[in-house]
């Protein structure tokens, strides 16, 4: 009945997608990673739930591209769950571009909400705050399951200040591309292929010497940095952006 698609560069969104699947009693095969899913190959189902991280008060380019490629008529309804670090008016317009694409395909939207999870760049919140954010979002997921099961559509009211923040946040797109160009791998790199195999933008290629080469299509999702088993990837200039020592949700989830 439910197709759950998630985009989770750092693990936060995946955790909530699994909680949602449990609440909706969806089988594992109906939980799909967005970046490895062809929207044109999806099977018809009753309800699509799309979970994604917030990048610059917007949905990531990877997610916008997926929704634009989604064929019309596959689902009776769609729900959108954005995951950021602030569950308030700051992310009130984060789904605007996704809603516009879905509206053109005549998809009714049931749930359109955002949740707060631990920050994954620049700074790490204190452990007690991170645990609180996770617990609150897990509780909200249970509430969203009820809304999705009832399938009662509601019109989302977006404040002007939310729209303004969303518009300003779009400057992150070119900034993210530049961030990708300054990424490099140190001598600790073992050419294990983790980064270029899992890059959601296919922005990383293997050079002749076996080391990764980073292109101009980065979305600054941090996956290559945090998933590198040798911690060999870092930016040359913007060293303050990745959390020192990396980020892992497993520190808080038992």
């Amino acid at each position: 009945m439910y197709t759950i698609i998630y985009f989770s560069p750092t693990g936060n969104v995946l955790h909530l997608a699994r909680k949602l699947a449990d609440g909706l009693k969806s089988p594992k095969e109906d939980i799909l990673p967005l970046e490895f899913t062809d929207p044109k190959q999806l099977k018809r189902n009753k309800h699509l739930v799309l979970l994604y991280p917030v990048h610059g008060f917007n949905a990531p380019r990877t997610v916008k591209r997926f929704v634009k490629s989604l064929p019309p008529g596959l689902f009776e309804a769609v729900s959108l769950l954005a995951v950021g670090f602030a569950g308030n008016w700051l992310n009130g317009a984060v789904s605007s571009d996704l809603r516009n694409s879905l509206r053109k395909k005549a998809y009714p939207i049931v749930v359109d909400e955002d949740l707060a999870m631990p920050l994954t760049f620049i700074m790490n919140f204190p452990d007690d705050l991170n645990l609180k954010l996770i617990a609150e979002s897990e509780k909200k997921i249970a509430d969203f399951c009820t809304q999705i099961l009832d399938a009662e559509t509601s019109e989302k009211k977006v404040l002007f200040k939310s729209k303004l923040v969303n518009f300003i946040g779009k400057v992150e797109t070119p900034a993210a591309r530049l961030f990708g160009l300054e990424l490099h791998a140190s001598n600790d790199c073992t050419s294990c292929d983790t980064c270029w195999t899992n890059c959601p933008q296919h922005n990383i290629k293997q050079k002749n010497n076996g080391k990764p080469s980073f292109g101009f299509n980065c979305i600054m999702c941090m996956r290559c940095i945090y998933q590198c088993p040798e911690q060999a990837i870092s930016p040359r200039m913007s060293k303050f952006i990745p959390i020192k020592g990396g980020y892992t949700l497993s520190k808080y989830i038992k």
Side-chain angles (χ1 to χ4, degrees), residues 56-68:
F57 309 106
N58 282 263
R61 295 200 317 272
T62 312
V63 178
K64 292 180 182 180
R65 183 175 63 244
F66 180 91
V67 172
K68 284 183 178 180

Side-chain angles (χ1 to χ4, degrees), residues 52-60 64 80 82 86-100 103 112-114 156-170:
Y52 60 95
V54 177
H55 286 186
F57 309 106
N58 282 263
K64 292 180 182 180
L80 303 170
N88 53 31
W89 66 268
L90 282 170
N91 288 326
V94 68
S95 65
S96 297
D97 292 338
L98 302 183
R99 291 179 68 92
N100 289 337
R103 191 178 295 115
D112 181 6
E113 298 287 349
D114 57 280
K156 183 176 184 179
K157 295 181 180 179
V158 181
L159 300 175
F160 173 77
K161 59 183 179 180
S162 300
K163 294 179 181 178
L164 182 60
V165 169
N166 171 265
F167 177 76
I168 295 173
K170 293 183 187 297

Side-chain angles (χ1 to χ4, degrees), residues 120-123 179 182 220 222 225-226 235 237-244:
T120 59
F121 70 108
I122 298 180
M123 62 174 288
F179 179 79
E182 66 166 308
M220 207 161 67
M222 315 301 283
I225 295 175
Y226 293 153
M237 301 291 293
S238 307
K239 296 185 182 298
F240 65 95
I241 291 180
I243 293 175
K244 188 175 181 179

Side-chain angles (χ1 to χ4, degrees), residues 184-196 204-207 209-214 228-234:
H184 76 290
S186 70
N187 292 332
D188 293 330
C189 174
T190 61
S191 303
C192 68
D193 84 8
T194 298
C195 59
W196 58 76
I204 307 174
K205 308 297 182 184
Q206 184 181 20
K207 296 190 291 188
N209 64 0
K211 299 297 177 67
S213 172
F214 302 86
C228 177
E230 305 300 328
Q231 296 185 332
I233 298 174
S234 65

Side-chain angles (χ1 to χ4, degrees), residues 170-182 218-220 241:
K170 293 183 187 297
V171 302
E172 183 180 284
T173 295
R177 292 180 182 274
L178 293 174
F179 179 79
L181 290 180
E182 66 166 308
C218 183
I219 58 171
M220 207 161 67
I241 291 180

